[in-house]
Amino acid sequence: MKNVNRVFFCKSLSLVFLVPSFTRSHLRFTYSAAGASSPNRAIHCMASDSPQSGDGSVSSPPNVAAVPTSSSSSSASSAIDFLSLCTRLKTTPRAGWIKRDVKDPESIADHMYRMGLMALISSDIPGVNRDKCMKMAIVHDIAEAIVGDITPSCGISKEEKNRRESEALEHMCKLLGGGERAKEIAELWREYEENSSPEAKVVKDFDKVELILQALEYEQGQGKDLEEFFQSTAGKFQTDIGKAWASEIVSRRRKQH
């Protein structure tokens, strides 16, 4: 039977990982079949979610021993372990679409990939590093490989969401073995979260553009009314390119109604 990686977030937000056990001694996840009803399906959050365990401490990601980086074989091992964890981005659907009963919803990785393409095809913008935008697009949601897609409807504050994702990112960078690449990923992620650079502002806009473009495509393909996604992003674009692309999407939507 083909192995399928899944991530389930139960009511206490403790993680139940359904992944193959790694043969390497420094990385081993336990897994359970509890709650598995369909492949590639994740339950992300509930209004009463709590990130804490019974003693008030935060539930930690899977225990991973220190990853050695002293040899090329260790470096390769760290890279594959990191990439294996990131496969959850490919198999975890975006929560907003699940809540609206969209059939075969896109994954987190699908979303990030098209944002990367947006950065790739965008025109040069003075003061904006396009290559940096592409990198930022493919890492901006990377912590969701552990915490899942936490949306505003989850009832979790922005501060709490950021705290959980920060802990997940730290764990992933340690898994990667630290060093320059891990540092680069962490810096790109934090820059995006803080909206602290011209590149972050562009990628923030791409995030919203990709959302409404996907909403339009689901409306066209599945007969859905996803007006709420257009309302939630209206007036929030920061850059000329974001405003122009969003305007084009909205214009096309109006023509079909």
Side-chain angles (χ1 to χ4, degrees):
M1 179 180 293
K2 181 179 179 181
N3 287 328
V4 178
N5 292 342
R6 302 180 188 139
V7 184
F8 285 84
F9 292 80
C10 64
K11 193 169 183 179
S12 65
L13 266 191
S14 296
L15 304 186
V16 179
F17 295 99
L18 280 79
V19 298
S21 293
F22 287 84
T23 56
R24 299 180 183 87
S25 60
H26 62 270
L27 178 62
R28 185 172 298 278
F29 295 109
T30 59
Y31 60 91
S32 166
S37 58
S38 60
N40 298 340
R41 181 65 57 167
I43 301 173
H44 298 272
C45 62
M46 298 179 67
S48 59
D49 283 348
S50 169
Q52 296 183 334
S53 59
D55 60 1
S57 61
V58 177
S59 300
S60 5
N63 292 326
V64 181
V67 180
T69 57
S70 58
S71 68
S72 59
S73 61
S74 295
S75 177
S77 178
S78 297
I80 298 305
D81 289 340
F82 174 83
L83 294 172
S84 294
L85 176 57
C86 287
T87 201
R88 297 175 192 161
L89 297 168
K90 297 169 63 177
T91 58
T92 305
R94 295 253 284 166
W97 307 130
I98 294 176
K99 295 177 188 298
R100 278 72 184 182
D101 297 320
V102 168
K103 182 181 179 182
D104 299 325
E106 65 170 347
S107 69
I108 298 167
D110 292 332
H111 168 67
M112 293 196 295
Y113 174 72
R114 186 152 65 172
M115 284 177 60
L117 288 179
M118 289 176 176
L120 178 63
I121 69 170
S122 62
S123 302
D124 290 335
I125 303 172
V128 174
N129 184 323
R130 193 166 58 91
D131 289 345
K132 184 177 180 181
C133 286
M134 285 188 279
K135 292 179 180 181
M136 191 176 290
I138 63 172
V139 304
H140 81 285
D141 278 343
I142 198 168
E144 292 180 12
I146 290 177
V147 303
D149 184 16
I150 302 173
T151 69
S153 62
C154 292
I156 296 171
S157 69
K158 288 183 179 180
E159 293 77 15
E160 175 61 17
K161 177 179 181 290
N162 183 266
R163 186 192 65 77
R164 296 184 194 185
E165 291 182 346
S166 295
E167 288 185 359
L169 180 73
E170 181 180 359
H171 167 74
M172 294 179 78
C173 288
K174 288 179 180 178
L175 180 61
L176 188 56
E180 289 303 312
R181 292 297 173 261
K183 181 180 178 182
E184 182 180 27
I185 289 171
E187 288 176 349
L188 287 166
W189 184 86
R190 292 191 181 95
E191 194 172 303
Y192 174 85
E193 285 295 307
E194 295 167 2
N195 197 27
S196 60
S197 68
E199 290 82 9
K201 289 175 171 56
V202 169
V203 179
K204 286 275 188 182
D205 276 7
F206 286 162
D207 183 57
K208 297 180 185 70
V209 167
E210 206 287 321
L211 174 68
I212 61 173
L213 178 55
Q214 186 63 73
L216 175 61
E217 291 164 348
Y218 286 145
E219 286 187 334
Q220 293 171 334
Q222 301 187 28
K224 298 284 186 180
D225 181 1
L226 299 171
E227 170 68 17
E228 62 188 288
F229 293 97
F230 294 90
Q231 290 292 336
S232 67
T233 56
K236 295 183 179 179
F237 295 92
Q238 308 174 82
T239 65
D240 289 341
I241 190 171
K243 293 172 184 176
W245 287 12
S247 177
E248 175 65 20
I249 294 168
V250 171
S251 175
R252 294 187 181 197
R253 183 173 185 255
R254 286 174 180 156
K255 290 177 181 177
Q256 76 177 19
H257 282 77

